[in-house]
Amino acid sequence: MGKIEKWRDCPAVGRKIKPLECGQNRGVNYACPSDCPYCPWIPENYDHFSETEGLLDEKTFEHYAELVGQFEGTAKLDIGLLKEGVDGAMEFHSNCYREFHLREYEAGKTMFDLWREAGWPGLGRSDLLFLMPYKARTFCTLIEVRRIVDDLRVECVDLLDEEAGVFTICDRSLAGSALQFQVFVGFIARYPFFWRTHGMAFPLPLAAESGRDFLFRHVRKMGGPELGDNKLRQWLAENFVTLNRSVTDETFTKTRSTFRNTDLKECVAVYRLKGSPRDLALAGREEFEPTEPEENVIAQHGDYDAYVWLRAGKSKAWEIQLPDLLRNQAAGPGIPIWGNLRVFPNRIEIRGMSEKHFRPMREMAETFFGKFIVFEKESVVDLAKQTWPEDGSLPREERGQVTFATSFFPEGVSDPGEMMQQVFRSRYETFLDEKVPALNGLTPREASRRPEMREMLVDLMKSHVQSMDGHSKKDGRTYDIGWLLDELGLPELKSAPRIRTVALGSWWSEVDEETAHARMHAHINAGVTGRLEDLPNVLTFFEDVDEGILSNPELVSLLYAVDAAVSICVPEDAEIEDLDTDALSNESRNVLRLLSGKEPIAAHKALLAGSVQPAILDVAAEVLAAGMKANLARNPPEEDRIRATNLLPMLAHVEAVMRCLRKASLA
C-alpha cells in the first residue's frame, strides 16, 4: 500500500493542502494567520521557531566567514569570548552587530543589504528565507517590562518609540529573570507575531528616576545624540559595551558609597559584675526575653544566659534617641529589638545591631544596672567598611558576619510569607507620610494630590513595584502593594499579576523523596565523585565560606552533601556553566536571613518549606545529622567535631547551591 498523506486545513488559501505544500509556502507565498496551529512563527510553536532561528544564526556566521578577507577591516569573530562570562558574551554579540548590521562593505550597504540584494544565497529553505528579513532589521533600543505573562512571554514597551504600544517578547530567559517595570537596553528583532531579544540585553539598576532619564544621563555624559534623534538607536548599538560599563561603574560606585555609609556595625560593650547575675533582677522584665545560648560561644567563653533586648517596657522611652526612620520600624508585626544581652557569671556583654542602637543601650545598661556593673571595654567593628574596601575594589566576602534580626516574635512565626506581608504593609503605611527626596521633599501622599508631580510619583512607585516583584520571585510568594497604589491613585501600575511562576529549565525537575534518599546515600557511600570539579567557582566559594566558623570536618561533610546535591539535581548529560561566586554568597545570605532568630526545629521547617528541592534537602539534613552523631560517638578533639549548632548553616549552603543551579537551568 502507498503512503497515506494527511491533509491540513489552510486558512491562508481557504482549502486543504498537503504538509509539503504548507512547508514550502508558509510565510513566503502564503500569509499565515496567528490562529493557524501549523504556523511555526506563533508563540505556541516557539520551540520550533527557536530551532529555526538557531539555524539562521549558523547560516549568518557562515556567510560572514566568506566575507572575511574580501573587504578591508573585516576580522574573524572570536566565538571564544562566549566562554568569558557576561562581559565576554556582551563583547562578542556587540562585535557581531557591528559586523553584520553597522559596517559598510560598499557605499551605504551593510552585509545584510548585500546579502538581500543577492537573493539570500545559502539559505535555501523557505522558512529561513521568510525569517531572515526580520532578523536583518534587528535594532538596539530601551525596553520596559510591563507584565510577565507566563514562562515564555513578557509584555513590554519601547521607551524610545511611544507609538509602538505594548508588544510581546517571547524569550524564556527574559521571562524567567525579568521583574515588572524593569528596564533593559538590548537588541530586538520584530517577527510577525512576537518580538525577540537577540544576542544581549542588560538591565538598568533599580532607581527612583525613570529608565529613560537614567539612560540619557549616561548618553549625554558619553557625548551621544539627544532624545528623539534618529541616530540614537545606532549610537546605542555602536556603544553597547561602553554604555554598559558606564552604567555598571556608576551603580557600583553608588552601591559602594551606600554600603560604606550604612550603620552596619558590630558593637559590643563589656561590664564587670560587682555582685552576681541575680542582682540584675532580669526575671519578668518586659524588655529582656530569654533565648537559647549559642553553642560556639559556650565552647569559647563558658556558660552564660542569653537575652533579646526588646524595645519595650522601660527601654521604650529611649526610642526618642533613634532617627525617625528607625523609630518608625517599631510599627508592624513582632516586637522591635535593640540588640542582645549576654550574662556570664562575672560579667555582662551588650551587643548592638548598629551604633545608633548601641549608644542608647549603653545608657540604659548604666541606668538600669549601674550599681552592679563596672565598665571594662568597648568594641565597634564597622562591617560595612570592612566589606567594601576604601580603595574601591570589589567587596570582600563577609567572613563570620553577624546577622541581626530587627523584630522578635515571642510565639514564633507560623507563616513567614504572611509575616513578611505584614512587615511590608506596616512599612508602606509609614512610607505614605515620609518626605522623599525623589519627590522634591514631598510625601507620597502629598505628591499624589499634585498633578504636576504625577510623572515623578509614577517613576518612584515603578521602582517599588519592581522591588516587591523581586521579593515575590525570590521567596516564591505573593507580596501585594495594590492597596498602596490605589491610595496614591496609580491603578495602572497594578496591571502585572502578583503571583510569579518561574520557567523551569530543560533539565530541572523536583526530585521525589524516594529518589533523593536512594541517590544521596548511594552517592555519599561511594565517596565524592568529583561533580564539583566541573564547577571550580563552587569549590572556591566553599574554601572561603565561613572561615573560622566551620571546622575542617564540617566543611568536608558539607562538600560531600553539596557534591551529592549537584549530582542529583543536574543530569550527567546536562550542560551547566560554572556558578557565580557572588550569586552563591547572595543566596547563602538570603537563606541565613530567613533562619535568623528561629529555634532549630522551626528553622528546619522554614528551610524545607522554602526549598527548591525539599526532598534532597531533607535527606542532606539526615545525612549530616547522622555524621554528627557518629562523630560524637568517637569523641574526637574539639577542633575535629561536627557541632549541632552548625548543621543549619551547613544546610543553608546546600540550599543556596541548589537555588543557583535552578537559576542556571533557566538560562
Side-chain angles (χ1 to χ4, degrees):
M1 292 180 65
K3 182 180 178 182
I4 299 176
E5 288 197 73
K6 293 182 179 180
W7 293 71
R8 56 183 60 167
D9 290 317
C10 178
V13 296
R15 59 180 172 81
K16 290 183 178 294
I17 62 174
K18 293 181 179 180
L20 179 61
E21 181 181 354
C22 174
Q24 290 176 336
N25 292 280
R26 58 191 179 195
V28 182
N29 300 311
Y30 299 165
C32 304
S34 61
D35 58 355
C36 176
Y38 303 107
C39 177
W41 328 123
I42 58 177
E44 289 75 10
N45 291 327
Y46 176 79
D47 289 335
H48 180 279
F49 167 87
S50 184
E51 290 178 10
T52 305
E53 188 187 41
L55 180 57
L56 203 59
D57 286 337
E58 291 180 20
K59 296 292 185 180
T60 301
F61 284 112
E62 288 174 6
H63 185 76
Y64 177 75
E66 295 175 3
L67 296 181
V68 174
Q70 296 181 29
F71 292 90
E72 185 178 349
T74 57
K76 186 175 181 181
L77 293 167
D78 183 9
I79 200 168
L81 288 170
L82 292 174
K83 298 180 180 180
E84 297 182 11
V86 174
D87 291 341
M90 185 169 291
E91 184 177 349
F92 174 76
H93 288 293
S94 183
N95 292 344
C96 290
Y97 193 87
R98 181 194 66 238
E99 296 298 311
F100 302 161
H101 298 267
L102 300 178
R103 182 185 295 281
E104 292 186 5
Y105 292 86
E106 291 181 3
K109 294 182 179 181
T110 67
M111 182 193 82
F112 278 119
D113 293 330
L114 296 175
W115 200 1
R116 182 188 299 107
E117 290 177 1
W120 305 112
L123 294 185
R125 284 173 39 175
S126 60
D127 51 358
L128 299 181
L129 289 168
F130 173 70
L131 286 185
M132 181 55 87
Y134 294 99
K135 191 179 188 67
R137 292 194 292 269
T138 298
F139 60 96
C140 191
T141 192
L142 185 68
I143 61 170
E144 179 182 81
V145 173
R146 289 294 172 86
R147 190 167 76 100
I148 295 89
V149 179
D150 52 29
D151 64 1
L152 172 64
R153 294 171 296 175
V154 180
E155 290 181 355
C156 302
V157 293
D158 185 343
L159 295 180
L160 303 185
D161 183 5
E162 297 179 358
E163 296 181 0
V166 177
F167 53 86
T168 298
I169 289 179
C170 285
D171 189 306
R172 286 200 173 96
S173 179
L174 183 67
S177 62
L179 304 174
Q180 190 189 8
F181 298 121
Q182 193 168 22
V183 178
F184 292 82
V185 180
F187 296 107
I188 301 294
R190 297 181 182 178
Y191 290 105
F193 303 115
F194 56 81
W195 295 27
R196 282 275 287 155
T197 49
H198 190 75
M200 294 290 290
F202 66 84
L204 300 186
L206 186 67
E209 63 185 323
S210 72
R212 192 162 64 171
D213 289 346
F214 183 98
L215 175 74
F216 275 95
R217 277 200 299 104
H218 287 270
V219 172
R220 284 192 295 270
K221 183 175 72 173
M222 296 172 64
E226 291 298 315
L227 175 62
D229 192 311
N230 58 14
K231 295 181 180 178
L232 177 60
R233 283 178 168 168
Q234 181 171 328
W235 185 93
L236 291 177
E238 291 175 337
N239 295 274
F240 190 73
V241 174
T242 52
L243 176 64
N244 172 260
R245 191 172 297 124
S246 176
V247 169
T248 302
D249 288 347
E250 178 185 286
T251 304
F252 176 82
T253 300
K254 285 186 174 180
T255 302
R256 176 179 170 274
S257 176
T258 299
F259 272 93
R260 281 184 60 82
N261 291 309
T262 299
D263 185 15
L264 179 60
K265 298 183 176 74
E266 184 181 5
C267 307
V268 181
V270 180
Y271 293 85
R272 177 170 51 83
L273 277 171
K274 290 194 285 188
S276 73
R278 288 191 301 274
D279 296 330
L280 303 178
L282 296 175
R285 290 192 62 160
E286 189 177 351
E287 57 262 68
F288 296 106
E289 181 72 26
T291 187
E292 286 296 317
E294 299 176 32
E295 295 268 345
N296 57 331
V297 176
I298 293 175
Q300 189 172 359
H301 300 290
D303 290 332
Y304 72 102
D305 293 322
Y307 298 86
V308 177
W309 192 329
L310 306 176
R311 281 157 56 181
K314 293 182 179 180
S315 296
K316 193 164 182 60
W318 267 263
E319 280 190 333
I320 193 67
Q321 297 189 26
L322 294 176
D324 287 343
L325 183 59
L326 293 179
R327 208 180 311 159
N328 288 336
Q329 286 178 353
I335 305 170
I337 73 173
W338 289 104
N340 298 87
L341 173 68
R342 292 175 178 173
V343 181
F344 293 88
N346 59 350
R347 70 185 188 283
I348 66 170
E349 292 180 3
I350 61 172
R351 308 174 70 84
M353 67 181 73
S354 71
E355 199 157 19
K356 288 184 177 66
H357 288 82
F358 179 66
R359 294 304 163 197
M361 289 174 71
R362 280 208 54 183
E363 286 187 21
M364 286 186 279
E366 290 162 12
T367 300
F368 298 161
F369 316 125
K371 61 183 179 180
F372 304 117
I373 60 176
V374 176
F375 175 75
E376 286 193 340
K377 60 183 178 179
E378 174 186 296
S379 169
V380 177
V381 178
D382 194 326
L383 299 177
K385 286 186 171 58
Q386 275 193 353
T387 306
W388 292 79
E390 191 172 3
D391 61 8
S393 58
L394 290 172
R396 293 189 289 264
E397 291 292 328
E398 297 176 66
R399 292 178 171 80
Q401 72 168 24
V402 178
T403 302
F404 292 103
T406 57
S407 295
F408 178 76
F409 297 85
E411 304 302 323
V413 179
S414 57
D415 185 350
E418 179 61 28
M419 182 271 289
M420 287 304 300
Q421 183 67 70
Q422 292 179 43
V423 169
F424 290 134
R425 175 89 190 201
S426 299
R427 177 68 192 94
Y428 278 115
E429 284 175 347
T430 303
F431 166 77
L432 279 168
D433 296 306
E434 289 177 357
K435 295 186 182 301
V436 180
L439 297 175
N440 294 337
L442 297 175
T443 70
R445 204 188 298 274
E446 290 170 338
S448 71
R449 301 185 187 120
R450 300 190 183 187
E452 71 275 13
M453 295 298 297
R454 183 175 180 82
E455 186 175 346
M456 294 176 70
L457 183 61
V458 167
D459 289 338
L460 174 68
M461 293 314 301
K462 279 183 177 180
S463 70
H464 283 271
V465 172
Q466 185 185 143
S467 176
M468 295 304 297
D469 201 25
H471 285 295
S472 297
K473 182 179 177 183
K474 180 183 71 177
D475 295 347
R477 298 178 179 273
T478 301
Y479 299 130
D480 184 20
I481 57 170
W483 64 272
L484 174 65
L485 301 175
D486 287 335
E487 177 79 17
L488 296 174
L490 303 174
E492 69 272 22
L493 300 189
K494 296 169 57 179
S495 61
R498 298 299 178 201
I499 298 177
R500 292 297 304 263
T501 56
V502 180
L504 296 181
S506 58
W507 49 262
W508 181 273
S509 61
E510 185 173 324
V511 178
D512 61 53
E513 186 175 350
E514 183 178 351
T515 302
H517 194 277
R519 294 182 64 184
M520 176 74 78
H521 282 279
H523 182 93
I524 290 181
N525 288 339
V528 177
T529 62
R531 193 66 194 267
L532 286 182
E533 292 177 3
D534 297 332
L535 302 170
N537 268 359
V538 178
L539 286 174
T540 301
F541 171 75
F542 280 112
E543 286 171 0
D544 296 335
V545 76
D546 286 344
E547 189 176 34
I549 293 180
L550 292 186
S551 65
N552 189 60
E554 289 167 342
L555 184 58
V556 170
S557 297
L558 176 57
L559 287 174
Y560 270 88
V562 171
D563 192 81
V566 173
S567 176
I568 298 171
C569 287
V570 186
E572 290 185 5
D573 58 348
E575 293 185 8
I576 177 173
E577 295 183 4
D578 199 8
L579 303 185
D580 184 76
T581 306
D582 290 337
L584 285 165
S585 298
N586 289 337
E587 288 297 351
S588 291
R589 281 196 288 269
N590 289 339
V591 179
L592 289 169
R593 196 175 295 118
L594 171 72
L595 306 182
S596 178
K598 290 185 174 68
E599 295 296 320
I601 294 177
H604 186 208
K605 289 181 178 178
L607 188 54
L608 282 174
S611 176
V612 296
Q613 290 282 9
I616 295 177
L617 193 69
D618 202 26
V619 179
E622 171 193 314
V623 168
L624 291 174
M628 183 199 70
K629 289 179 181 177
N631 179 278
L632 290 175
R634 293 195 303 272
N635 195 29
E638 180 67 33
E639 62 272 14
D640 291 335
R641 289 182 183 173
I642 299 176
R643 295 158 291 182
T645 51
N646 282 339
L647 286 181
L648 269 176
M650 292 162 72
L651 283 178
H653 290 310
V654 176
E655 174 64 22
V657 172
M658 293 195 297
R659 289 186 180 191
C660 289
L661 288 172
R662 188 176 189 272
K663 289 181 180 178
S665 78
L666 304 177

Coordinates of all heavy atoms in Angstrom, one line a residue, residues 9 65 76 213 223 302 331 377 416 421 498 542 606 614:
D9 N -6.1 21.8 7.0 CA -6.8 23.0 6.6 C -5.9 24.2 6.6 O -5.2 24.5 7.6 CB -8.0 23.2 7.5 CG -9.1 22.2 7.4 OD1 -9.4 21.9 6.2 OD2 -9.6 21.7 8.4
A65 N 31.7 34.5 7.3 CA 33.1 33.9 7.2 C 33.6 34.0 5.7 O 34.8 34.1 5.5 CB 33.0 32.4 7.6
K76 N 37.9 37.8 11.8 CA 37.2 36.6 12.2 C 36.6 36.9 13.6 O 37.3 37.4 14.5 CB 38.1 35.4 12.3 CG 37.4 34.1 12.6 CD 38.4 32.9 12.6 CE 37.7 31.6 12.9 NZ 38.6 30.5 12.8
D213 N 15.2 58.5 31.7 CA 16.0 59.6 32.2 C 17.4 59.0 32.6 O 18.4 59.7 32.4 CB 15.3 60.2 33.4 CG 14.1 61.0 33.0 OD1 14.0 61.3 31.8 OD2 13.3 61.3 33.9
G223 N 28.6 61.8 25.4 CA 28.6 62.6 24.1 C 27.7 62.1 23.1 O 27.9 62.3 21.9
G302 N 32.5 29.9 77.9 CA 31.8 29.3 79.0 C 30.3 29.6 79.0 O 29.8 30.3 78.2
A331 N 6.6 49.9 64.2 CA 5.3 49.5 63.7 C 5.4 48.2 63.0 O 6.4 47.8 62.5 CB 4.7 50.5 62.7
K377 N 35.4 47.5 78.7 CA 35.9 47.8 77.4 C 34.7 47.9 76.4 O 33.6 47.4 76.7 CB 36.9 46.8 76.9 CG 36.4 45.3 76.9 CD 37.5 44.4 76.5 CE 37.0 42.9 76.5 NZ 38.0 42.0 76.1
P416 N 5.9 32.5 57.4 CA 6.8 33.5 57.1 C 6.3 34.5 56.0 O 6.6 35.7 56.1 CB 8.1 32.8 56.7 CG 7.9 31.4 57.2 CD 6.5 31.1 57.3
Q421 N 4.4 39.9 54.6 CA 3.3 40.7 54.0 C 2.9 41.8 55.0 O 2.7 43.0 54.7 CB 2.1 39.9 53.6 CG 1.0 40.7 53.0 CD 1.4 41.3 51.6 OE1 1.5 40.5 50.6 NE2 1.6 42.6 51.5
R498 N 0.4 39.3 40.4 CA 1.3 39.3 41.6 C 1.9 37.9 41.8 O 2.8 37.8 42.6 CB 0.5 39.8 42.8 CG 0.0 41.2 42.7 CD 1.1 42.1 42.5 NE 0.7 43.5 42.4 CZ 1.3 44.5 41.8 NH1 2.5 44.2 41.4 NH2 0.8 45.7 41.7
F542 N 33.5 27.5 48.7 CA 33.5 26.8 49.9 C 34.8 26.8 50.6 O 34.9 26.5 51.8 CB 33.0 25.4 49.7 CG 31.5 25.3 49.6 CD1 30.8 25.0 48.4 CD2 30.7 25.6 50.7 CE1 29.5 24.9 48.3 CE2 29.3 25.5 50.6 CZ 28.7 25.2 49.5
A606 N 11.2 25.9 58.3 CA 11.1 27.1 57.4 C 12.0 26.8 56.2 O 11.7 27.2 55.1 CB 11.6 28.3 58.1
P614 N 13.0 20.2 48.3 CA 12.8 19.8 49.7 C 13.3 18.4 50.0 O 13.8 18.1 51.1 CB 11.3 20.1 49.9 CG 10.7 20.1 48.6 CD 11.8 20.7 47.7

